[in-house]
Amino acid sequence: MEPSFFSLDEARQLLRAPLTALRHELHAHPERSGQEVETTRRLRALLSQPPFELLPLPVETGLVARIRGNGPGKRVAIRADMDALPVQEWAGNLLQSQVPGVMHACGHDMHMSFAYGAGLLLGRHRDSFPGEVLLIFQPAEETGEGAQRMVDAGVFERYPVDYIVGGHVKPELPEGQISVRTGPVMAALDGIRIDILGKGGHGACPHACRDPIVAASAVVLALQTVVSRTTEPSKTCVLSICCIHGGETDNVIPDRVVLEGTLRTVDREQRIACIDRLRTIAVSTAAAMGCEANVLIHRGMPLVVNDEGTTEICRARATALLGADQVTVLPVDTVSEDFSVFAQQVPGCFIHVGTRAPGTDFYPLHSDRFCPSDELLPLGAAIYAEMAMGLLHEREERR
Ligand code: NI
């Protein structure tokens, strides 16, 4: 196997101090989706000096920077997301958010540090690669809007790229392990809203009403068959009803019950089949109970699909950098990611970076206790830089 372009030793020596400082600053000052003003300001300050060059883009939050190599060649984008969540950080974490009720509970502070660190590493070796690397920092990943905002602002028209890479920290995976998967990586998300309309009245006189609460209950249970009876057992699929709203008091049957939930699918046919079936079940079950169901599907995020050729190169680079025993392939993730919006336009590879330290308790993403170790920062940066370098050096004939 070809040797790696970078080494973890070099990454640790060069990056441990600056990335730890940046990550601590970002972690202390989290901002919610679409409000990443200070985060943008901090990153702009860092990326307005060599080896970086800030590139103009008409967005309120988010930014793009470039590192040029030694001449013309391929262009590779490294993407990081910037937003935090409305979560109150657990007081026992090693790092502490200074903003009440807002926390980097999804590790986007890590992602920004990885991307910045990758830029520093690449910048140090800019004489040894052709082409250029773009760092894309996008806002509002959690709401599924940010990537689209960058695309709408013309990021790829102004700054076309041949490939895009990105990743997410993954607490289910041991610290320092990487998952590189070809094809579907993270599920498509559709939001579901079902309004069950009946006829309200006195709780003691149900015969004079059409009870939407009983109908909604039957609909929720019947919807459980969408996954178990519609989709191929070997394919990942999730349908969860997460909200039920209806009624005000204990003796009035309401007119309406609203159900809300989420559908996660891993291919187009499965998605269409599930939406079709859930509509039929909601409408028919409600009708059987004398009620009416209005079903609204809100398209959230498309499926993240890793391009085969791009992913092959990235896996080879990850293996060269970390060793084969540290590179694995996780099943498709039922969580969604708007990296998909970029990957629909440009061949992409999205990886997972394990964060679970040995002997520590498991806390999932979005938990108020999720706080990966700083030790991972140089590794994450090195893997991003290594993937970018592999793609920059890709031979023409492979395309
Ligand atoms: Ni996230």
Side-chain angles (χ1 to χ4, degrees):
M1 192 201 307
E2 292 168 41
S4 58
F5 292 98
F6 301 103
S7 77
L8 287 181
D9 282 347
E10 181 194 6
R12 289 191 182 111
Q13 268 172 28
L14 180 72
L15 301 175
R16 185 174 267 144
L19 297 196
T20 302
L22 172 62
R23 194 260 176 133
H24 287 196
E25 207 177 314
L26 295 170
H27 193 91
H29 303 99
E31 293 174 296
R32 290 192 58 184
S33 309
Q35 301 168 17
E36 306 88 347
V37 177
E38 284 303 306
T39 307
T40 301
R41 194 189 56 72
R42 279 172 217 279
L43 291 170
R44 287 187 81 88
L46 290 174
L47 297 170
S48 56
Q49 40 194 305
F52 304 102
E53 179 193 347
L54 271 178
L55 300 178
L57 192 72
V59 285
E60 279 173 32
T61 56
L63 67 156
V64 184
R66 171 162 63 192
I67 306 125
R68 283 181 197 268
N70 58 15
K74 294 253 159 51
R75 298 190 184 102
V76 179
I78 296 174
R79 172 273 201 175
D81 41 10
M82 305 165 72
D83 50 335
L85 284 159
V87 170
Q88 175 64 45
E89 180 143 30
W90 179 55
N93 278 354
L94 277 178
L95 300 181
Q96 282 295 307
S97 165
Q98 289 174 22
V99 184
V102 185
M103 173 190 172
H104 269 297
C106 200
H108 299 187
D109 53 338
M110 304 289 286
H111 304 162
M112 287 183 272
S113 307
F114 291 170
Y116 172 63
L120 287 177
L121 262 183
L122 288 157
R124 196 186 199 207
H125 293 268
R126 59 198 294 184
D127 293 338
S128 67
F129 67 84
E132 54 188 54
V133 175
L134 228 61
L135 303 183
I136 299 178
F137 292 90
Q138 71 150 85
E141 191 284 325
E142 295 292 346
T143 55
E145 298 163 318
Q148 192 62 52
R149 242 178 251 172
M150 300 296 275
V151 168
D152 291 345
V155 66
F156 290 143
E157 274 115 62
R158 288 169 181 237
Y159 315 115
V161 295
D162 298 290
Y163 305 101
I164 186 161
V165 297
H168 208 294
V169 289
K170 183 79 178 162
E172 288 84 353
L173 199 60
E175 188 172 82
Q177 277 195 20
I178 305 288
S179 171
V180 188
R181 185 186 170 81
T182 306
V185 187
M186 304 193 66
L189 182 168
D190 285 284
I192 301 157
R193 177 181 163 130
I194 304 171
D195 287 47
I196 311 275
L197 310 170
K199 184 181 160 211
H202 201 296
C205 309
H207 58 285
C209 305
R210 285 180 278 115
D211 186 349
I213 289 198
V214 173
S217 306
V219 168
V220 171
L221 290 180
L223 285 177
Q224 304 311 309
T225 63
V226 171
V227 173
S228 69
R229 305 291 89 176
T230 304
T231 67
E232 206 180 302
S234 62
K235 277 190 192 171
T236 304
C237 184
V238 181
L239 172 58
S240 295
I241 297 298
C242 303
C243 286
I244 304 183
H245 295 293
E248 298 289 342
T249 185
D250 65 0
N251 61 357
V252 178
I253 292 171
D255 286 322
R256 171 196 298 256
V257 172
V258 178
L259 306 174
E260 286 178 288
T262 187
L263 173 68
R264 307 297 168 112
T265 52
V266 297
D267 68 40
R268 193 170 165 273
E269 290 71 36
Q270 184 192 50
R271 175 174 178 266
I272 291 167
C274 285
I275 290 174
D276 193 50
R277 183 61 60 92
L278 81 87
R279 272 187 204 283
T280 307
I281 287 175
V283 170
S284 312
T285 307
M289 309 265 158
C291 293
E292 199 182 305
N294 291 336
V295 180
L296 265 177
I297 304 294
H298 166 72
R299 178 121 217 207
M301 297 185 221
L303 183 68
V304 177
V305 182
N306 274 355
D307 174 68
E308 199 180 326
T310 311
T311 305
E312 227 172 80
I313 294 168
C314 290
R315 182 180 296 113
R317 288 297 94 214
T319 307
L321 180 74
L322 303 174
D325 58 336
Q326 294 298 97
V327 181
T328 182
V329 184
L330 286 176
V332 185
D333 201 328
T334 57
V335 173
S336 307
E337 243 288 346
D338 76 352
F339 180 83
S340 51
V341 172
F342 296 126
Q344 281 182 331
Q345 310 225 350
V346 178
C349 178
F350 192 82
I351 63 164
H352 283 105
V353 180
T355 62
R356 185 169 183 184
T360 58
D361 288 334
F362 168 74
Y363 298 112
L365 294 175
H366 296 198
S367 158
D368 64 347
R369 299 190 184 207
F370 178 66
C371 193
S373 160
D374 290 334
E375 289 301 306
L376 270 172
L377 296 169
L379 183 143
I383 186 73
Y384 280 21
E386 184 73 30
M387 292 194 296
M389 203 70 143
L391 294 165
L392 289 165
H393 283 94
E394 195 221 353
R395 294 184 299 277
E396 275 305 321
E397 61 264 32
R398 290 189 63 168
R399 296 208 73 192

